């Protein structure tokens, strides 16, 4: 085959360090826009970006040549630098070290988009910790809870 064809939809979740509430409502649209731009620079296609004061959800289509780990390292590092420059009062901002990344089928795309867009209402009922544990279990990811937090 002369070309590579992929459809790599990935739902990514990561939080601020210690889940500190750095992503206030007033700046969140700009945060999401910046994250989307950073993904596009890597030739990824951001489909939905949402979250709350302490974490972000992204549904993105990754190009075949960009590994999830590389993508998130670059996006998180660049954004950390940007938030400290643009909002000096958030100088101590940091992302958590890890993340969750889950494959999404094309048939589940709209469900995941709605889930990401409904984060504020979703978190009226469930904590980030419970949400993340639920995602890990739903996707069959093995983990030891002693090392999650």
């Amino acid at each position: 085959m002369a070309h590579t064809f992929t459809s790599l939809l990935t739902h990514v979740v990561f939080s601020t360090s210690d889940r500190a509430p750095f992503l206030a409502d007033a700046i969140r649209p700009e945060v999401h826009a910046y994250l989307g731009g950073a993904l596009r620079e890597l030739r990824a296609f951001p489909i939905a970006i949402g979250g709350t004061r302490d974490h972000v959800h992204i549904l993105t289509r990754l190009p075949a040549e960009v590994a999830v780990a590389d993508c998130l390292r670059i996006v998180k590092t660049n954004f950390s630098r940007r938030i400290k420059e643009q909002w000096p009062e958030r100088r101590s901002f940091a992302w958590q070290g890890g993340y969750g990344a889950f494959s999404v089928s094309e048939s589940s795309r709209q469900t995941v988009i709605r889930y990401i867009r409904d984060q504020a209402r979703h978190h009226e009922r469930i904590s980030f910790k419970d949400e993340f544990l639920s995602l890990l279990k739903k996707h069959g990811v093995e983990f030891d809870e002693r090392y999650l937090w």
Side-chain angles (χ1 to χ4, degrees):
M1 196 174 270
H3 299 283
T4 300
F5 300 95
T6 63
S7 178
L8 303 173
L9 288 176
T10 306
H11 177 191
V12 183
V13 183
F14 52 94
S15 88
T16 59
S17 182
D18 298 321
R19 286 169 302 288
F22 278 113
L23 307 175
D25 295 348
I27 70 165
R28 201 168 309 128
E30 193 168 345
V31 168
H32 295 169
Y34 181 85
L35 293 171
L39 288 164
R40 282 187 290 278
E41 285 183 22
L42 294 170
R43 295 188 352 191
F45 180 75
I47 297 165
I49 300 175
T52 65
R53 298 174 63 87
D54 65 356
H55 71 282
V56 173
H57 287 257
I58 299 171
L59 178 61
T60 187
R61 184 179 309 279
L62 294 173
E65 66 276 2
V66 177
V68 174
D70 293 336
C71 176
L72 290 177
R73 178 182 45 78
I74 292 166
V75 168
K76 288 168 65 175
T77 299
N78 289 346
F79 181 76
S80 292
R81 186 176 316 115
R82 169 73 182 263
I83 198 168
K84 292 171 185 179
E85 291 170 357
Q86 187 160 348
W87 295 287
E89 68 278 10
R90 291 174 170 81
R91 269 186 292 276
S92 61
F93 176 86
W95 292 115
Q96 71 178 21
Y99 58 87
F102 311 99
S103 59
V104 175
S105 66
E106 190 61 43
S107 63
S108 296
R109 175 185 167 137
Q110 288 304 316
T111 301
V112 174
I113 291 170
R114 280 190 301 275
Y115 180 80
I116 290 172
R117 290 187 177 151
D118 198 28
Q119 280 292 293
R121 208 169 58 179
H122 178 71
H123 285 288
E124 292 172 0
R125 303 182 307 274
I126 187 170
S127 70
F128 171 71
K129 182 178 178 179
D130 289 340
E131 173 188 49
F132 195 71
L133 288 170
S134 174
L135 286 167
L136 291 173
K137 290 173 185 174
K138 176 182 177 183
H139 290 277
V141 177
E142 292 185 26
F143 63 93
D144 184 334
E145 196 166 346
R146 293 176 298 175
Y147 304 109
L148 280 178
W149 319 111

